Amino acid sequence: MSSGKLWRGQTLADRSTDRRAVLLDAGRALLGEGGAAAVTMRAVIREAKLSPRYFYESFASREELLTAVYDEVSAELFETLTAVAVTGHPRQDVRAFVDAIRDFFERDPRRARILLREPLADDTLRDHRAAATTQFVGAAVAVAGGRIGAGRDLAIVSTALSGALVALYLDYSDGRLDVEPDQLVDAAVELIFAIAGEQ
């Protein structure tokens, strides 16, 4: 049967795309709730209610699924940032970005586990985040009009910012920082300007 023929109103390609989305949802639930160790092929197909052959139809390995889930959540975060209204005032714009990020994670704490916590523990996600962080920070800087960290080594700024901000947010979400959300955002903004070298 060719991929263009219909079966129950869908082509084979459509059904394959749907199964991939179901597997991604299953991987996201497992990674966000139980961490990378919970994401095994068996656990994913059980969560997705699919057979093993459909896993390998979409992903060559567990590691490929992990990075696909990470990329999906990263894309959602960046979409959130691009929707933030930019005023042209760097400190005001950065504060709006940071507040949007805080809200993004608090609306679904699984997102913070996927993007922030699990890359600290899992080698695949750690390496993948390292490769993606500079690109993400560069895109965020562009959204901010290229003002933050202008003239600085983007890789160094990215590493310093991501390390400081991840530690700050995780301590906050774990209850080790007894601060209000606005205080957290204020602290993050000060960190960004201090590390990026802006006044």
Side-chain angles (χ1 to χ4, degrees):
M1 183 182 294
S2 74
S3 62
K5 291 185 179 179
L6 296 180
W7 190 83
R8 294 187 177 177
Q10 287 186 303
T11 66
L12 290 180
D14 290 340
R15 296 178 66 219
S16 178
T17 298
D18 288 349
R19 284 192 292 266
R20 187 178 193 280
V22 170
L23 289 163
L24 271 171
D25 286 347
R28 182 174 181 144
L30 291 165
L31 182 58
E33 293 165 13
V39 185
T40 64
M41 188 271 286
R42 289 182 182 276
V44 171
I45 61 172
R46 184 168 57 248
E47 179 80 12
K49 298 179 173 59
L50 293 172
S51 70
R53 73 186 179 99
Y54 290 130
F55 180 95
Y56 291 110
E57 171 189 63
S58 295
F59 302 102
S61 64
R62 162 194 178 271
E63 289 73 21
E64 187 176 305
L65 172 62
L66 283 174
T67 57
V69 170
Y70 182 95
D71 288 345
E72 182 178 65
V73 180
S74 291
E76 292 170 4
L77 175 56
F78 187 65
E79 184 178 355
T80 296
L81 289 182
T82 58
V84 173
V86 175
T87 67
H89 301 285
R91 190 169 289 270
Q92 184 175 329
D93 290 341
V94 168
R95 195 182 199 291
F97 291 151
V98 172
D99 199 43
I101 293 168
R102 179 199 56 78
D103 181 65
F104 177 82
F105 288 139
E106 290 192 356
R107 281 188 285 115
D108 184 353
R110 295 179 305 174
R111 294 166 170 168
R113 183 161 195 174
I114 291 166
L115 294 186
L116 306 182
R117 190 179 303 279
E118 289 308 306
L120 299 175
D122 180 81
D123 289 342
T124 296
L125 289 175
R126 182 185 302 112
D127 292 344
H128 191 67
R129 184 178 73 178
T133 295
T134 299
Q135 181 181 5
F136 184 84
V137 171
V141 166
V143 170
R147 296 287 301 277
I148 303 305
R152 306 288 296 278
D153 185 314
L154 188 58
I156 292 173
V157 171
S158 298
T159 298
L161 277 177
S162 63
L165 294 174
V166 166
L168 180 67
Y169 186 81
L170 290 180
D171 278 359
Y172 166 75
S173 65
D174 289 345
R176 288 189 291 272
L177 284 178
D178 185 19
V179 297
E180 296 298 318
D182 281 350
Q183 293 175 290
L184 176 75
V185 172
D186 288 341
V189 170
E190 293 306 317
L191 269 174
I192 290 167
F193 279 90
I195 291 170
E198 291 279 331
Q199 299 300 320

